[in-house]
Amino acid sequence: MVFDAEMIRNVYQSLPERVNKAREILSRPMTLTEKILYAHLYAGEAINAFERGIDYVNFSPDRVAMQDATAQMALLQLMNSGRERVAVPSTVHCDHLIQAHIAAGPDLQTANQNNKEVFEFLSNVSNKFGIGFWKPGAGIIHQVVLENYAFPGGMMIGTDSHTPNAGGLSMIAIGVGGADAVDVMAGMPWELKMPKIIGVKLTGKMSGWTSPKDVILKLAGILTVKGGTNAVIEYFGEGTKSISATGKGTICNMGAEVGATTSIFPFDEKSAAYLKATGREEIAMLALQNINYLQADAEVTANPEQYYDRLIEINLSKLEPYVNGPFTPDAAYPLSEFAKIVKEKGYPQQMEAGLIGSCTNSSYEDLTRAASIVKKAKEDGLKVKAQFIINPGSEQVRYTAERDGILAEFESAGAVIMANACGPCIGQWKREMDDPNRPNSIITSFNRNFAKRNDGNPNTHTFIGSPEVVAALTIAGDLCFNPLTDDLTNEKGDKVKLQEPKGFELPVKGFDVKDAGYVAPVVDGSKIEINIDPASNRLQKLEAFKPWDGNELTELPLLIKAKGKCTTDHISMAGPWLRFRGHLDNISDNMLIGAVNAFNDKTNAVLDPETGEYSAVPALARKFKAQGLGSVVVAEENYGEGSSREHAAMEPRFLNVKAILVKSFARIHETNLKKQGMLALTFANKDDYDKVRENDKISISGLKDFAPGKNLMVTLKHVDGTTDTFEAVHTYNEQQIGWYKAGSALNAMNRNEK
């Protein structure tokens, strides 16, 4: 089935003219990223030579995708938008609220029971507004999008940070917050700072144990977790042609871990083969007809240093497998050096669990390559020594893999097949351990490995590798095992070397599925009523935030000065808190409980200036709010790194935090703060962070003259009567200042429509 075929035909029909017109105005060759961005300028947006990293530009994405955890808040906002029908094709995917515990069947049954109210809400709102609905068990959003909706040359946004997965099919796909999604679903322009472009030239060809995952694991080590901020990573070179479409998706998916706006590969024969295999031959043919517009211009690839803001080259023939971690996805180590690192740093060497799946690595190719290792190891008398968990990426992948005996190979080695869902990747793992206080090591094929990310346990050292490496280390049960050089001893005492992985990019017999899990919306949803029980602890109607009162911010108490890494997981945890994603009041009880207080090195313990005692962060914020006081949060670099969850912005807004002052922001989170009417500021001089004391009163002046490019002033009033004053930088443009004054972007949108 080809979804939205008419829309896709229209995109291809206008693509050549739009790209040619942009090239004429730019008067130079164009990168692939530029071609797609300029082809999706919002109607009425004048074509200019927009300055990368500087100019804000309005775009018209072709579609929106939402996963169930973030869709709740997005759809609650959509209900307040005044729309009756979405303006662009949109979908909801139920993949986050399924906890991995026993196995696929019982876990899915439990999820349907525990989340009945939420799933019904998402289904009903989808029907009302004309949104496609993918049932629980249908698969992980990004795998489902790649199989059904991604198309070369298109542009989409998704309420999940790993939306760039679709870049594997040459699509500009960007992770956003729910308010951004509402703008696009409401037919409004979507604003984005014109990104810089990092060119990654791939040469050579992978072989043996090396896989596409190793490309991005290596790149994460080069760029670090914020090296891709406000930039698109565009891959090019002969090496791209040897990587499967799903392999390219893996690489693009994990570009989120370096802060990239998105990542993209050029369209090629591998892309066309995947489109045909997934029932989209018409799209493959249209893309082949437009192939010159779905690749960078020849002059760009011949002289890349002239057209990219940064250039990196990776030789696939020399690339070796990597393992990244723990606690951050950019701690990158070649497998040949990893054992030494484990021993030097004292990481627990026993490997206790191996997990294959997630939106990053759960394709048919991933499963077949990992299964080939498991199958041969079993034949050689080796037993798997660690817990083994598999999460297929979609029902189509699961059904096909079961038909072809792939899942049986895993199960015969003791692996458990979990539901087609995110599961342990996002903390939805009910892990049973003998002693949770014991330091332990696990390895996953996931994308993110912050502390407590997978099982809620700060003592778990999570490492990231390819499915092949995960399979090998799970069989060995030893984090220091290197399958390229080391032997294992089987039950007979014989030395055995693991066989190099072998797999299939696409199933020989083709994909098959009985029920993919898709439910089309009704033709007319105008009569559908959306009722939310006022007593519900899962869902809550949104009340509009109050507009700015026109005053400067004067002597606000410091809520917390966060130290070190402060991701959206620290600001608004997932795991058990996912159940409150549709209830702003309840989920606000997790606000910043994972952030480390710079004054005592503790989490969820901040000074109450009135009592002199330490309090939970949300409790103190609620106390200030009840007293009619706002508060301020101070933090360090790359604040809001990680997931796109806008709850990390909405919770402070709800609890009356007035400003977030940091050394630097992660892109999505800064935008989310702006959308919710928050003041997002950075230190003009990062050393001023050190001036903030525990019981300061903080004033921010200049808001009455709030203007683009004009710094604000921050004054710290210390308890000893002294003060410090310094400048704070902001990146607000006129429209975003309008959001702040209106109280939120949604408020501003509603005002404009009246």
Side-chain angles (χ1 to χ4, degrees), residues 264-344:
I264 191 166
F265 273 83
F267 176 73
D268 58 23
E269 289 294 339
K270 296 278 190 184
S271 315
Y274 184 75
L275 287 168
K276 293 173 183 176
T278 50
R280 294 173 286 173
E281 187 165 358
E282 179 190 357
I283 298 173
M285 297 307 297
L286 287 170
L288 286 167
Q289 291 166 15
N290 288 275
I291 193 166
N292 290 336
Y293 300 97
L294 301 174
Q295 300 174 342
D297 286 338
E299 297 92 331
V300 172
T301 56
N303 302 286
E305 65 282 348
Q306 297 180 24
Y307 302 99
Y308 294 110
D309 297 286
R310 180 175 177 181
L311 187 62
I312 298 168
E313 184 169 335
I314 297 175
N315 186 337
L316 301 180
S317 298
K318 295 182 179 179
L319 180 66
E320 67 173 292
Y322 267 70
V323 176
N324 289 25
F327 307 132
T328 185
D330 60 348
Y333 305 105
L335 194 55
S336 59
E337 300 175 11
F338 185 57
K340 178 183 174 185
I341 296 296
V342 170
K343 291 172 181 175
E344 284 181 354

Side-chain angles (χ1 to χ4, degrees), residues 133-311:
F133 182 73
W134 290 81
K135 298 183 295 186
I140 305 171
I141 177 172
H142 308 305
Q143 179 68 29
V144 173
V145 165
L146 197 70
E147 291 176 3
N148 296 277
Y149 299 111
F151 68 96
M155 182 181 189
M156 68 172 283
I157 62 170
T159 60
D160 189 279
S161 55
H162 294 101
T163 300
N165 193 81
L169 273 180
S170 312
M171 191 176 202
I172 288 289
I174 301 174
V176 299
D180 279 346
V182 172
D183 281 353
V184 176
M185 290 189 290
M188 303 287 286
W190 178 63
E191 184 187 64
L192 177 73
K193 183 183 288 186
M194 183 60 81
K196 293 186 176 183
I197 308 175
I198 298 172
V200 178
K201 183 178 182 179
L202 300 182
T203 61
K205 184 177 181 180
M206 289 178 290
S207 62
W209 284 88
T210 305
S211 78
K213 182 67 164 277
D214 300 309
V215 174
I216 187 59
L217 292 178
K218 178 181 176 67
L219 190 62
I222 295 171
L223 290 174
T224 77
V225 291
K226 64 176 186 174
T229 303
N230 292 322
V232 172
I233 300 174
E234 180 172 317
Y235 295 87
F236 69 99
E238 284 299 310
T240 63
K241 297 179 181 179
S242 64
I243 303 173
S244 68
T246 52
K248 290 168 181 166
T250 291
I251 296 169
C252 291
N253 176 295
M254 205 175 152
E257 271 48 73
V258 298
T261 300
T262 192
S263 301
I264 191 166
F265 273 83
F267 176 73
D268 58 23
E269 289 294 339
K270 296 278 190 184
S271 315
Y274 184 75
L275 287 168
K276 293 173 183 176
T278 50
R280 294 173 286 173
E281 187 165 358
E282 179 190 357
I283 298 173
M285 297 307 297
L286 287 170
L288 286 167
Q289 291 166 15
N290 288 275
I291 193 166
N292 290 336
Y293 300 97
L294 301 174
Q295 300 174 342
D297 286 338
E299 297 92 331
V300 172
T301 56
N303 302 286
E305 65 282 348
Q306 297 180 24
Y307 302 99
Y308 294 110
D309 297 286
R310 180 175 177 181
L311 187 62

Side-chain angles (χ1 to χ4, degrees), residues 438-566:
R438 171 176 53 76
N440 70 97
S441 292
I442 67 173
I443 187 165
T444 78
S445 71
F446 306 163
N447 42 45
R448 211 162 264 168
N449 60 349
F450 304 138
K452 300 192 268 188
R453 170 79 182 184
N454 305 124
D455 60 2
N457 186 349
N459 299 303
T460 297
H461 296 60
T462 304
F463 298 89
I464 304 173
S466 66
E468 297 89 334
V469 169
V470 171
L473 269 63
T474 305
I475 292 167
D478 183 352
L479 206 57
C480 292
F481 174 69
N482 183 347
L484 282 74
T485 58
D486 300 344
D487 294 324
L488 294 172
T489 304
N490 66 14
E491 293 179 307
K492 297 179 180 178
D494 299 329
K495 296 288 186 182
V496 176
K497 200 168 189 296
L498 294 183
Q499 175 184 274
E500 287 185 354
K502 296 178 181 178
F504 300 91
E505 292 183 11
L506 298 167
V508 175
K509 300 177 185 176
F511 284 109
D512 195 9
V513 66
K514 285 288 187 285
D515 177 9
Y518 175 70
V519 180
V522 297
V523 176
D524 181 8
S526 60
K527 300 292 193 295
I528 296 174
E529 294 290 329
I530 309 299
N531 297 310
I532 297 176
D533 184 352
S536 171
N537 71 348
R538 296 292 301 271
L539 297 167
Q540 179 188 51
K541 285 187 176 180
L542 279 179
E543 299 293 333
F545 292 128
K546 292 181 180 179
W548 176 54
D549 62 9
N551 297 318
E552 309 283 17
L553 300 177
T554 306
E555 295 195 4
L556 303 180
L558 172 71
L559 180 62
I560 185 173
K561 179 180 177 179
K563 174 184 176 181
K565 189 183 282 285
C566 195

Side-chain angles (χ1 to χ4, degrees), residues 72-91:
Q72 295 171 63
M73 199 57 71
L75 296 183
L76 286 165
Q77 292 175 85
L78 180 65
M79 289 166 59
N80 289 344
S81 70
R83 290 287 302 191
E84 294 183 357
R85 201 85 173 166
V86 291
V88 301
S90 304
T91 51

